[in-house]
Amino acid sequence: MSLLHRYPVPIPLSPTRHHKRLPCQRLHLFTTKSRPSFALPSLSTPLFRHPFRCSSMSVQEDTPTSQLQDSLLQSRAYWVNKSLIAWNVDIEDGSYFLYASKCASLAVTVDGIQGYDVKIKLKRAGGPLPANVLEKFPHIQDYGAFELPSALDAKTLLKCQLAIAIFRPDGRCCDATGLQLPGVLDELFAYAGPLGAVFSEEAISLYLWAPTAQIVRAFLYREPLGGDPFEIVPLEEVEGVWTAKGPKDWEGCYYVYEVCVYHWTTLQVEKCYANDPYSRGLSSDGWRTLLVNLNSEALKPEEWDKLADEKPHIKSFADISIYELHIRDFSANDGTVPPDVRGGYEAFTLQESAGVQHLKKLSDAGITHVHLLPTYQFAGVDDEKEKWKFVDVKKLEILPPDSDEQQFQITAIQNEDGYNWGYNPVLWGVPKGSYASNPNGPSRTLQFRKMVQALNKIGLRVVMDVVYNHLHASGPFDENSVLDKIVPGYYLRRNADGFIEHSTCINNTASEHFMVERLIVDDLLCWAVDYKVDGFRFDLMGHIMKRTMLKAKAALHGLSKERDGVDGSCVYIYGEGWDFGEVAKNGRGINACQFNLCGTGIGSFNDRVRDAILGGSPFGHPLQQGFATGLYLQGNGHDHGTQAKEKLMLALSKDHIQVGMAANLRDYVFTNHEGNEVKGSEVLTYDGSPVGYALCPTETVNYVSAHDNETLFDIVSLKTPMSISVDERCRMNHLATSTIALSQGVPFFHCGDELLRSKSLDRDSYNSGDWFNRLDFTYNDNNWGVGLPPKEKNEKNWPLIKPRLADPSFKPQRSNILAAVDNFLNLLRIRYSSPLFRLKTANAIQERVRFLNTGPSQIPGVIAMSMEDGHEGVPGLTQLDPIYSYIALVINSCPSEVSFASPALRAKALQLHPVQVMSTDEVVKTSSFEASSGCLTIPARTTSVFVEPRND
């Protein structure tokens, strides 16, 4: 890694691009030019670098001069609190020094550290690092502790370039490195006061937390783009917070911060131009922050302040069901929506559009929440629609279904069109401009609110997909970098060498740092209070600390209608609790992974049930079959092992699914495939991890399909034998969906599960344009066979994909799609026909839910679950359902009819659920029950639900 040598240049009056690299002039912090009285050890002998991390070690080899010169590019030491620095080197009887340079002049040469303003001798502390330090930084538990002088002015030094060096007793420099500062910044500058732009009746005040900055100025503009600033306002600092006060007529103007700060990536003091981290409005593409008052009456839709009283009622989180949707997908292809509204917020307000009519059907049947993929300001899509590029759709439509030309044309413009999922966060607290009719001014605020209000009015609460685990950009120059320009090195999680961790994909954030956590919680409160968002889905939640999630939940649930205009107790939060990367196994503190969240009431996605239903995993062989895709019962030619092994795999998959259907509870006891009574946590995945991990039902979000990976119909089409009919694949699609819809816990559906939606077998359509992501709410087409999916993520599977796309028998007809929609709506109606499908506690599930087809003599491929209710006035179970006293459901994944008898069902007065009796699915109507033998007969690839009505 090399450095670009830069010379000071004059500061321009009017920066038009806040990412432009504008080196600062040298600044002087210290009034005296004299050095401290103590001297460096002699450096007349060769330089050395210590190669090990343990204490009391000898230097074993000469370190090249170039290696020492580059040592400041790393930050391997941690300034953990005001009095301690942690570093993983030690020399017996060695000397340790901290160096500071206000104008970033430090350099390591054969003569030692040069260019410093201050040099401070450190004392090697005995014993381990303090417990509170290790709690915050568990990954440095083996580091040595070095004490700083008690009278040190740490706050001043933190504005400097800093380095620490170690010297042998003979005066030779062994090692040097930069420092990571979050620990000491949290101790000295943790702040709970106002941040961002604060509006009062008389003035507007700006507050910016930037404790390492040397100078901060605000450039104010009348226009969103171009022009000179009408005022440049210097901010004043008090305890790390920079403030300025201006007149009320600043409202509606724009500003950009100029922050003069040492940046660890360039080893220079930089002039960074950045938006306010607490921005609540922006110009297009985030060039400037808009001074917008979210409490302004002009930005409130009619009756906005009454919305809290008009929101769809939710008695319990156990009643939630979630439908995941991308804003652009929803209307970009909807001919019933005016062209200038398609793909944006306003499309949700058109009550007669095909898309809204479809959402009304879902709401009427039982869906409670619409989960919107990222809607904050993200990179990857230009906010100014006139800059977008388009393909000629008519030309694509005449190409063969297995052609590679479609993907070639789509990917040629994929970074210049209007499509991206949005997992590229730039600013978390502002609605995305490309979804608004005008990305400048306050339109995005008003239209986002109208969208939330419109969805609430058709019975749907709104979940926002939040991506607090990473940022799209970092460094002092990137146009999409914000936080790393304000307090460099603080907001992002760094590794032992000081470089940014990228396990999430890029620029991992560090919620273990106080002000990062605060920003996350403040942002959530803004969306909940100012936009009345009803829930939050956390992307890669496992990379966020559990403490942060608990603080977020407490803050949200503490909101009240009387004080905040929001009933926070109804805000549901859930996310991806995957445990990987540097945070795995609590590597950076107790993280919000699946196992750590039990007992918190925070939901996490259940990948166990997904993999067992579909087969394999998103990272395994695409032909690996599962319970619903033909494993053991109808092979696809893939080598799953011997027939005995396949049968065992199916039985194990069934155990996983049964745990999932019991809300994936850790302590739920049932009989497994071997005939043993086991808890959910005693059923293990392929890698030995427990399947069950939840302590209450709402901690489990069951799903088989989401925006990631192939759609449900596509994965079924890929994993099933090529010889079966499309009608059979449609039944498999429905079978998988029914397993989720009728399980305990929170069911989650990807938009299009009910439409047989296809992305032409694209496994990652985040940037595949409207073409591969199209939805059709007129039910005429499911988007199958629109060309080979984009090469980048799919090419290795093209040999499997191509013959399937080329085969016209794979494509569903309109009749298939209509049947799928009806069947899905019926599943929802069944779920909400009885509270027994939505039990609220683990105890209730253990007492009432049983699995009947278990043990070594079970019928392969059949799940039978019963739910029992009590009777009023009769000891035992309390009565929950006034209509049904007993429910039995059977999921038959076999390609043939199955009869299953159970002694538990004898003499029951079971009948097919009225919803299925009235169904347009003629197959399910052939399901039957014989009371004398307790025998249920279920058609092939069918889920049948039987109920025992009460006689009273």
Side-chain angles (χ1 to χ4, degrees):
M1 181 176 182
S2 61
L3 292 177
L4 176 64
H5 182 66
R6 303 182 302 105
Y7 296 92
V9 298
I11 303 169
L13 177 64
S14 128
T16 57
R17 290 283 201 246
H18 59 271
H19 67 287
K20 188 174 182 180
R21 185 171 186 169
L22 296 169
C24 70
Q25 297 172 337
R26 297 300 189 189
L27 301 172
H28 299 284
L29 171 65
F30 301 96
T31 57
T32 176
K33 294 183 179 180
S34 62
R35 300 293 189 188
S37 57
F38 47 84
L40 276 166
S42 170
L43 294 177
S44 57
T45 52
L47 296 170
F48 293 88
R49 174 175 176 156
H50 204 287
F52 302 108
R53 294 189 176 184
C54 58
S55 61
S56 303
M57 298 178 294
S58 60
V59 178
Q60 296 187 352
E61 58 181 313
D62 289 354
T63 301
T65 301
S66 61
Q67 189 171 337
L68 269 179
Q69 288 174 338
D70 288 343
S71 62
L72 298 189
L73 294 171
Q74 298 181 331
S75 299
R76 291 178 287 110
Y78 296 73
W79 195 340
V80 293
N81 59 34
K82 182 181 178 180
S83 59
L84 285 179
I85 290 174
W87 195 13
N88 61 341
V89 296
D90 196 6
I91 296 287
E92 189 172 354
D93 299 325
S95 300
Y96 311 89
F97 295 90
L98 175 67
Y99 300 88
S101 171
K102 182 62 181 289
C103 56
S105 300
L106 296 182
V108 184
T109 71
V110 292
D111 297 318
I113 304 289
Q114 303 296 318
Y116 60 87
D117 297 303
V118 170
K119 174 185 175 185
I120 300 162
K121 186 173 177 59
L122 306 176
K123 178 184 176 183
R124 181 68 166 91
L129 291 164
N132 64 332
V133 170
L134 294 179
E135 182 181 4
K136 189 176 182 74
F137 303 109
H139 58 295
I140 62 170
Q141 60 181 334
D142 296 327
Y143 283 37
F146 301 88
E147 294 178 351
L148 292 149
S150 58
L152 181 72
D153 181 7
K155 293 181 178 181
T156 300
L157 289 181
L158 289 168
K159 296 181 180 296
C160 302
Q161 180 189 21
L162 298 169
I164 184 173
I166 181 172
F167 297 87
R168 286 188 52 150
D170 61 5
R172 290 181 294 177
C173 182
C174 304
D175 206 349
T177 189
L179 285 83
Q180 299 187 40
L181 306 179
V184 66
L185 291 176
D186 280 352
E187 181 177 81
L188 297 180
F189 294 107
Y191 170 73
L195 287 170
V198 178
F199 291 77
S200 67
E201 291 185 5
E202 305 82 19
I204 298 174
S205 299
L206 301 178
Y207 297 86
L208 179 70
W209 186 76
T212 61
Q214 298 176 358
I215 296 174
V216 177
R217 300 194 297 174
F219 287 67
L220 286 111
Y221 300 85
R222 301 286 183 197
E223 301 299 328
L225 298 171
D228 292 335
F230 68 83
E231 190 171 358
I232 299 176
V233 180
L235 277 70
E236 296 182 356
E237 182 189 14
V238 177
E239 296 297 317
V241 178
W242 298 79
T243 62
K245 191 172 185 179
K248 195 72 167 63
D249 63 10
W250 278 5
E251 186 173 351
C253 296
Y254 298 85
Y255 68 104
V256 171
Y257 281 128
E258 176 193 77
V259 181
C260 187
V261 63
Y262 171 75
H263 208 290
W264 61 279
T265 62
T266 63
L267 306 187
Q268 298 284 347
V269 175
E270 305 287 357
K271 274 187 167 47
C272 299
Y273 294 90
N275 282 304
D276 192 327
Y278 277 73
S279 294
R280 296 298 176 240
L282 292 168
S283 65
S284 64
D285 295 312
W287 290 119
R288 294 169 184 168
T289 296
L290 173 66
L291 283 159
V292 57
N293 183 359
L294 297 183
N295 291 320
S296 170
E297 292 299 321
L299 299 182
K300 296 179 181 179
E302 187 177 351
E303 299 186 335
W304 176 250
D305 289 331
K306 299 179 181 178
L307 186 58
D309 294 321
E310 299 172 353
K311 283 187 175 288
H313 184 59
I314 289 289
K315 290 183 180 179
S316 164
F317 288 156
D319 294 327
I320 289 174
S321 55
I322 302 169
Y323 185 74
E324 181 193 46
L325 179 63
H326 182 263
I327 285 181
R328 183 161 180 82
D329 286 353
F330 176 66
S331 61
N333 192 52
D334 191 343
T336 66
V337 174
D340 60 337
V341 177
R342 291 175 195 166
Y345 302 125
E346 290 185 295
F348 291 89
T349 67
L350 304 176
Q351 295 297 304
E352 301 306 316
S353 73
V356 171
Q357 288 296 310
H358 184 75
L359 291 181
K360 286 180 180 178
K361 292 177 186 177
L362 297 177
S363 174
D364 290 345
I367 289 289
T368 63
H369 287 63
V370 166
H371 161 167
L372 298 175
L373 266 65
T375 57
Y376 50 72
Q377 185 66 20
F378 59 80
V381 174
D382 201 304
D383 285 346
E384 297 177 354
K385 299 176 178 62
E386 58 270 21
K387 295 181 180 179
W388 294 353
K389 292 184 178 180
F390 298 88
V391 295
D392 188 334
V393 172
K394 293 188 180 300
K395 289 183 178 179
L396 297 186
E397 287 175 343
I398 62 175
L399 293 169
D402 61 338
S403 169
D404 65 354
E405 180 63 22
Q406 295 97 324
Q407 65 87 31
F408 177 79
Q409 292 194 31
I410 294 297
T411 56
I413 64 164
Q414 67 182 167
N415 295 321
E416 300 171 273
D417 64 358
Y419 196 89
N420 196 288
W421 280 348
Y423 293 92
N424 315 317
V426 177
L427 279 162
W428 294 323
V430 185
K432 174 62 176 169
S434 66
Y435 296 142
S437 60
N438 183 357
N440 295 307
S443 294
R444 59 177 89 191
T445 294
L446 178 60
Q447 290 170 13
F448 191 102
R449 287 172 165 176
K450 286 182 176 180
M451 174 184 67
V452 172
Q453 185 181 54
L455 286 167
N456 284 175
K457 286 188 174 181
I458 62 171
L460 296 169
R461 287 178 169 253
V462 178
V463 171
M464 185 173 175
D465 199 323
V466 289
V467 185
Y468 296 124
N469 63 82
H470 73 271
L471 294 166
H472 181 66
S474 61
F477 311 125
D478 194 299
E479 63 191 43
N480 290 312
S481 175
V482 177
L483 298 178
D484 202 41
K485 292 177 178 177
I486 304 295
V487 190
Y490 177 81
Y491 288 95
L492 301 176
R493 188 177 290 132
R494 297 160 72 184
N495 63 23
D497 290 325
F499 301 119
I500 297 170
E501 294 279 9
H502 298 299
S503 56
T504 60
C505 68
I506 192 170
N507 298 320
N508 297 6
T509 53
S511 69
E512 59 269 28
H513 303 161
F514 182 88
M515 295 301 288
V516 182
E517 179 176 83
R518 186 195 156 173
L519 177 56
I520 291 171
V521 174
D522 287 349
D523 189 72
L524 291 166
L525 291 174
C526 173
W527 289 109
V529 173
D530 294 316
Y531 291 95
K532 303 191 188 300
V533 169
D534 305 293
F536 298 93
R537 177 267 192 190
F538 285 74
D539 182 66
L540 297 185
M541 180 174 62
H543 270 66
I544 298 171
M545 293 299 109
K546 177 181 178 180
R547 182 192 67 181
T548 305
M549 295 301 301
L550 291 175
K551 284 188 177 181
K553 180 187 174 186
L556 290 166
H557 286 194
L559 298 172
S560 68
K561 285 198 289 187
E562 296 73 23
R563 184 182 64 250
D564 308 295
V566 174
D567 181 1
S569 67
C570 294
V571 176
Y572 181 59
I573 58 178
Y574 62 100
E576 296 178 304
W578 321 138
D579 193 34
F580 69 96
E582 75 282 359
V583 300
K585 303 188 184 304
N586 301 321
R588 293 299 182 99
I590 300 175
N591 62 322
C593 68
Q594 291 167 326
F595 296 105
N596 288 339
L597 286 176
C598 61
T600 65
I602 296 170
S604 65
F605 284 98
N606 180 11
D607 53 334
R608 281 89 158 139
V609 76
R610 174 201 67 191
D611 293 348
I613 292 172
L614 298 179
S617 78
F619 313 104
H621 196 285
L623 294 184
Q624 171 67 57
Q625 291 176 286
F627 177 84
T629 56
L631 177 63
Y632 177 66
L633 302 170
Q634 198 165 28
N636 59 11
H638 176 66
D639 183 8
H640 293 86
T642 65
Q643 191 174 34
K645 182 179 179 181
E646 280 195 79
K647 186 177 182 180
L648 176 60
M649 289 171 63
L650 179 59
L652 288 168
S653 295
K654 188 178 144 186
D655 281 351
H656 292 194
I657 294 168
Q658 289 174 152
V659 175
M661 294 186 74
N664 218 55
L665 294 173
R666 185 185 71 185
D667 298 324
Y668 177 77
V669 177
F670 75 111
T671 303
N672 71 359
H673 69 282
E674 295 176 327
N676 301 320
E677 284 200 350
V678 295
K679 294 180 179 179
S681 60
E682 294 171 337
V683 180
L684 304 179
T685 65
Y686 68 93
D687 65 354
S689 299
V691 169
Y693 56 77
L695 286 183
C696 74
T698 56
E699 290 175 357
T700 293
V701 178
N702 282 320
Y703 76 115
V704 287
S705 175
H707 65 273
D708 283 320
N709 311 309
E710 295 89 349
T711 67
L712 177 57
F713 181 80
D714 282 351
I715 202 69
V716 168
S717 298
L718 192 60
K719 290 177 178 291
T720 51
M722 290 190 65
S723 59
I724 70 172
S725 69
V726 69
D727 291 339
E728 291 175 283
R729 291 193 187 92
C730 292
R731 295 201 71 81
M732 289 176 162
N733 189 102
H734 182 60
L735 190 88
T737 304
S738 70
T739 309
I740 300 303
L742 303 178
S743 292
Q744 303 293 331
V746 175
F748 175 100
F749 307 101
H750 178 221
C751 173
D753 283 353
E754 78 286 13
L755 303 170
L756 307 177
R757 181 185 187 179
S758 173
K759 297 180 182 179
S760 211
L761 291 165
D762 190 348
R763 66 172 284 104
D764 189 1
S765 68
Y766 80 101
N767 202 18
S768 298
D770 295 330
W771 179 256
F772 287 99
N773 288 286
R774 286 186 302 178
L775 283 166
D776 181 3
F777 291 117
T778 65
Y779 315 136
N780 286 314
D781 191 273
N782 79 328
N783 210 43
W784 172 270
V786 296
L788 287 169
K791 180 177 181 178
E792 179 187 4
K793 299 293 182 75
N794 300 280
E795 185 180 20
K796 69 177 183 179
N797 289 331
W798 277 3
L800 294 174
I801 292 171
K802 190 174 177 65
R804 288 165 169 80
L805 295 180
D807 187 340
S809 71
F810 273 72
K811 188 173 180 65
Q813 303 303 306
R814 175 175 167 81
S815 59
N816 296 122
I817 298 172
L818 289 171
V821 173
D822 284 346
N823 286 337
F824 184 79
L825 295 175
N826 285 339
L827 287 175
L828 294 174
R829 293 178 184 121
I830 291 171
R831 179 176 183 83
Y832 288 94
S833 70
S834 171
L836 295 177
F837 286 107
R838 310 183 312 279
L839 298 172
K840 299 177 183 179
T841 68
N843 283 341
I845 292 173
Q846 185 66 67
E847 291 174 343
R848 298 168 186 267
V849 176
R850 296 286 184 274
F851 291 97
L852 307 177
N853 179 37
T854 60
S857 61
Q858 64 180 270
I859 302 172
V862 175
I863 293 174
M865 183 174 84
S866 67
M867 291 168 284
E868 186 174 2
D869 200 13
H871 297 269
E872 198 168 321
V874 177
L877 295 174
T878 57
Q879 180 177 318
L880 301 177
D881 189 337
I883 301 174
Y884 305 124
S885 60
Y886 193 90
I887 298 175
L889 67 91
V890 181
I891 304 171
N892 176 21
S893 68
C894 301
S896 58
E897 181 182 271
V898 165
S899 293
F900 164 72
S902 171
L905 302 180
R906 289 176 189 161
K908 293 286 185 185
L910 294 178
Q911 55 189 252
L912 192 64
H913 197 290
V915 169
Q916 292 188 320
V917 171
M918 300 299 293
S919 170
T920 58
D921 180 5
E922 296 299 325
V923 175
V924 74
K925 293 180 182 179
T926 66
S927 306
S928 63
F929 172 68
E930 184 182 82
S932 60
S933 61
C935 182
L936 293 163
T937 300
I938 311 298
R941 297 193 176 101
T942 298
T943 296
S944 303
V945 181
F946 293 83
V947 293
E948 184 176 62
R950 293 187 184 277
N951 295 322
D952 38 85

